[in-house]
Amino acid sequence: MVDPLKLLAEVDGLAARGIRLDQRLKDSERAHVVMPYHKIEDRLSERQAGETGRIGTTAQGIGPCYADKMRRSSAIRFADLVADSDLALRVRSIVESRRVIFQTLYGDDGGFDADQIIHELQSAKDRIKPYVCDTTDYLQNSILEGRSILFEGANGVLLDVDHGTYPYVTSSSTGPYGIGAGAGVPPSLVNRMIGVVKAYATRVGGGPFVSELLNETGDLIRQRGHEFGTTTGRPRRCGWFDAVLCRYSAQLSGPTDLALMHLDTLAGFREVGICTAYRCQGQTLTRPPADVRRLEGAEPVIEFLPGWDENLRSIRRFEDLPKTAREFVSRIETLVGVPVNLVGVGPERHEIVVRGELPSLIQVPSGVTV
């Protein structure tokens, strides 16, 4: 799902900094176009749902765009954008039907203008076209040529439409099992997988959050960790590290290593917490239930460990971390069942502690890493 206007804005932003993307940026011809009416539908549906029924969408039109993908007849892909001579007619037809649907469902026709939408698409078309290609073919040929590929997930594993905290999820398959569906590269080619987690838990928008801290500690973590949405600026909800969800995510994803970030954010706390289980309806759970209502009613079982006061940002060896910080990392390893081989001790790229001898991310010439 790609918003062509936002994509071009990012291209222009990079160009202003002297970074050109010619022959570098490749946009899949199979990607679906996020249209203005998708964003409007996002906002209208959230407004109608009210405070209690909201999913917490970022209102960027992703869910409605995925819905159109599954409807098929009302979907527009980048292949259509750059080649379809009937695009204007299709857009007009879709816009008229959306007006009727929106007015019926929400009492608001959305207020969008078909001519303006068509003009924006036509203006973007010539600039977008050089970037659009068969990215699956490009990736497959790159593998045959022995090149290395790095995939980066766009959403957390627990936002997966099938295995996440449904319905408070995104509309796609997140995590490594989305590689095949999204990129057309067989997951069997992945030889190394880095699971990225924070030293505490966060969530944006609605949905269950068992280890959430609705107090000064949660506020302090948010401020220290600069936990505000990249797209929306919304403050993220913060809580203690949730080993239940992290272990579940690891079982779904199969990471070879964990990268534990934001360890520096927890400096100064007298003690730091780890959620090791849930108490739910008289049961102790070590795996999240599928029923989101049960999850919302669960209480955390928190294990507290001694904290540390030291500033970690200058540390580059795991052995030089405070003893209590090392014990915190080791406890997470034990609970999750995956080694922590990268530790973030600051926001800068170089503020990473490599634990032991971390093997090269790419182990074979044709390796694929996620």
Side-chain angles (χ1 to χ4, degrees):
M1 307 295 135
V2 181
D3 181 335
L5 301 183
K6 292 191 70 174
L7 175 63
L8 289 176
E10 293 189 14
V11 169
D12 291 340
L14 289 170
R17 295 161 55 191
I19 303 171
R20 298 194 61 83
L21 298 181
D22 299 342
Q23 305 302 316
R24 298 174 64 192
L25 174 64
K26 301 187 184 299
D27 189 13
S28 173
E29 60 189 0
R30 293 178 171 85
H32 285 248
V33 179
V34 177
M35 302 290 283
Y37 47 78
H38 290 141
K39 298 179 182 180
I40 293 172
E41 183 176 355
D42 242 353
R43 293 195 292 270
L44 291 176
S45 62
E46 284 286 90
R47 185 182 71 184
Q48 185 185 63
E51 290 295 331
T52 59
R54 290 179 182 172
I55 292 176
T57 172
T58 58
Q60 298 303 303
I62 304 300
C65 189
Y66 266 102
D68 271 355
K69 173 184 176 179
M70 296 307 175
R71 291 188 191 105
R72 294 159 292 177
S73 60
S74 55
I76 296 175
R77 303 197 299 175
F78 272 76
D80 305 321
L81 175 62
V82 300
D84 193 343
S85 59
D86 296 328
L87 182 61
L89 293 175
R90 292 184 60 199
V91 170
R92 289 188 189 280
S93 175
I94 294 170
V95 165
E96 290 306 314
S97 66
R98 287 301 160 90
R99 282 203 184 100
V100 174
I101 293 171
F102 288 2
Q103 186 66 50
T104 302
L105 290 177
Y106 311 118
D108 187 330
D109 69 0
F112 41 80
D113 182 82
D115 290 332
Q116 181 181 351
I117 293 173
I118 293 168
H119 174 71
E120 290 175 345
L121 289 177
Q122 293 292 354
S123 299
K125 177 179 177 178
D126 291 339
R127 293 191 60 200
I128 286 284
K129 192 170 184 177
Y131 302 119
V132 178
C133 67
D134 185 343
T135 53
T136 298
D137 183 62
Y138 171 76
L139 292 173
Q140 294 287 0
N141 286 331
S142 296
I143 294 171
L144 292 175
E145 293 167 3
R147 300 177 67 185
S148 300
I149 301 175
L150 172 68
F151 290 104
E152 179 184 8
N155 294 284
V157 172
L158 270 299
L159 290 179
D160 183 85
V161 69
D162 292 307
H163 302 286
T165 51
Y166 194 89
Y168 301 97
V169 293
T170 190
S171 300
S172 60
S173 295
T174 65
Y177 31 84
I179 294 173
V185 173
S188 59
L189 294 179
V190 175
N191 60 41
R192 190 166 190 81
M193 195 179 301
I194 312 297
V196 182
V197 298
K198 296 175 184 174
Y200 50 89
T202 60
R203 179 156 200 148
V204 178
F209 191 170
V210 179
S211 68
E212 184 172 12
L213 291 166
L214 298 172
N215 53 26
E216 292 182 359
T217 299
D219 294 339
L220 188 56
I221 292 175
R222 181 181 304 109
Q223 295 299 325
R224 287 182 177 180
H226 304 287
E227 294 294 350
F228 299 89
T230 303
T231 302
T232 63
R234 289 184 300 176
R236 296 188 181 114
R237 300 156 64 190
C238 298
W240 293 126
F241 184 91
D242 192 325
V244 177
L245 293 185
C246 191
R247 181 171 55 248
Y248 173 66
S249 299
Q251 290 170 344
L252 290 173
S253 305
T256 54
D257 312 88
L258 290 184
L260 183 68
M261 315 309 290
H262 279 274
L263 190 65
D264 56 301
T265 299
L266 296 184
F269 288 105
R270 183 177 61 85
E271 55 183 12
V272 290
I274 298 177
C275 178
T276 59
Y278 300 157
R279 291 193 184 95
C280 181
Q281 298 175 343
Q283 296 179 306
T284 298
L285 306 178
T286 57
R287 186 177 178 86
D291 186 344
V292 71
R293 291 165 297 185
R294 291 189 66 200
L295 196 56
E296 288 173 335
E299 296 180 354
V301 177
I302 303 295
E303 176 182 313
F304 287 99
L305 286 77
W308 55 91
D309 294 320
E310 294 88 340
N311 187 323
L312 308 182
R313 295 188 61 175
S314 63
I315 296 175
R316 295 295 175 270
R317 298 195 317 151
F318 186 78
E319 295 76 14
D320 294 335
L321 288 172
K323 182 174 182 292
T324 50
R326 297 198 306 271
E327 290 174 344
F328 176 75
V329 174
S330 296
R331 184 58 177 151
I332 287 176
E333 283 185 314
T334 300
L335 291 169
V336 177
V338 181
V340 175
N341 285 326
L342 294 169
V343 180
V345 293
E348 301 300 327
R349 292 171 66 94
H350 65 276
E351 292 175 328
I352 297 288
V353 171
V354 178
R355 189 177 185 186
E357 295 295 326
L358 183 68
S360 170
L361 290 181
I362 307 301
Q363 296 178 317
V364 295
S366 61
V368 180
T369 299
V370 58

